[in-house]
Amino acid sequence: MTAKEMAQAEFDTLPFRGYYGDLLAQPERNFWMLVYGPPWQGKTSFCVGFAKYLSENFGNVLYVSTEQYNSESIKQVIQRVKADKLNQLHFTPSLEKAPPLENYDFIFIDSATANGIDFADVMRLRESRPGCAFIVVLQSIKSGDFHGKQGWRHMPDIVVKVRDGQAAIEKNRYSDKPVVMDLPKAEENKEVKKYRNAPPN
């Protein structure tokens, strides 16, 4: 393919608006996003809220919730982000117990660490579902970085660190602007404060 042909190529992108447009720009429909951060910092709330947004606007979502499936804690997260009326957002305790993956446009794995899913497993999943987006959560170690190989950082299209009530974009192939934003508050109908051109935590 020539440079001219590549420049004229058209890709299926997601027209994110509002909070997620400001944070993530407009990724391709089959984007791969990594979310990581220390425990109890809001990773699951951030991801369930994002899953709600995707399911309300762009397609069916499967959320693999190994650590919190069918628990009071995940119930509270679902209620907090106001996703409790959705039928197109499905939860499962593992990929093995999930409905057929071809039914879904977006698949969240929270977390890959708890599921025993490694970098190569995600690559195989993406090859088997090339039109699907994957959002993968990794647990952090004491240093604040995540478990696993550095391929986790290099291969995803987007890398988000959730810490201290904020989402920091450490990498985004769809935008050249580093962005740090407060986590969205579903109960507040107002613009979320944005911190543009700030270095990630």
Side-chain angles (χ1 to χ4, degrees):
M1 182 179 288
T2 67
K4 180 178 180 180
E5 290 170 333
M6 184 68 77
Q8 293 176 342
E10 294 185 3
F11 299 93
D12 188 8
T13 58
L14 296 166
F16 288 174
R17 297 288 184 268
Y19 178 88
Y20 297 103
D22 289 340
L23 183 69
L24 303 172
Q26 297 189 356
E28 292 177 79
R29 184 169 289 275
N30 63 344
F31 70 93
W32 177 12
M33 186 166 92
L34 173 68
V35 179
Y36 80 101
W40 307 107
Q41 297 290 309
K43 296 188 300 296
T44 295
S45 293
F46 171 77
C47 287
V48 174
F50 186 32
K52 171 181 181 281
Y53 176 76
L54 291 170
S55 67
E56 287 178 328
N57 294 281
F58 300 106
N60 294 327
V61 178
L62 178 67
Y63 199 106
V64 182
S65 178
T66 302
E67 298 168 76
Q68 300 185 67
Y69 180 77
N70 198 25
S71 68
E72 178 66 22
S73 62
I74 195 68
K75 171 186 171 181
Q76 290 180 6
V77 171
I78 292 169
Q79 291 176 334
R80 186 160 58 247
V81 304
K82 302 190 184 304
D84 49 309
K85 301 293 192 295
L86 297 178
N87 290 319
Q88 64 272 37
L89 170 54
H90 299 165
F91 287 81
T92 181
S94 67
L95 285 171
E96 290 74 22
K97 296 181 179 180
L101 298 187
E102 57 264 25
N103 295 337
Y104 299 97
D105 305 289
F106 306 94
I107 297 175
F108 287 72
I109 301 174
D110 184 3
S111 67
T113 316
N115 273 274
I117 293 174
D118 63 20
F119 177 77
D121 293 328
V122 177
M123 295 296 287
R124 284 191 290 269
L125 282 168
R126 296 191 74 232
E127 289 176 3
S128 69
R129 295 286 293 119
C132 182
F134 285 84
I135 299 89
V136 179
V137 179
L138 289 183
Q139 297 173 355
S140 286
I141 57 179
K142 288 184 178 180
S143 68
D145 210 342
F146 48 78
H147 290 279
K149 299 179 180 179
Q150 283 302 304
W152 283 116
R153 191 183 301 279
H154 299 314
M155 293 303 293
D157 301 306
I158 303 170
V159 176
V160 182
K161 184 174 185 178
V162 176
R163 183 174 183 178
D164 297 330
Q166 293 182 327
I169 302 300
E170 294 190 341
K171 171 186 175 182
N172 189 347
R173 290 195 171 113
Y174 308 104
S175 174
D176 59 359
K177 297 178 180 179
V179 180
V180 181
M181 294 176 64
D182 291 341
L183 296 180
K185 295 177 174 58
E187 69 277 9
E188 293 181 359
N189 186 21
K190 63 182 181 180
E191 184 180 4
V192 178
K193 186 178 181 181
K194 295 181 287 292
Y195 302 86
R196 291 201 173 273
N197 300 320
N201 291 341

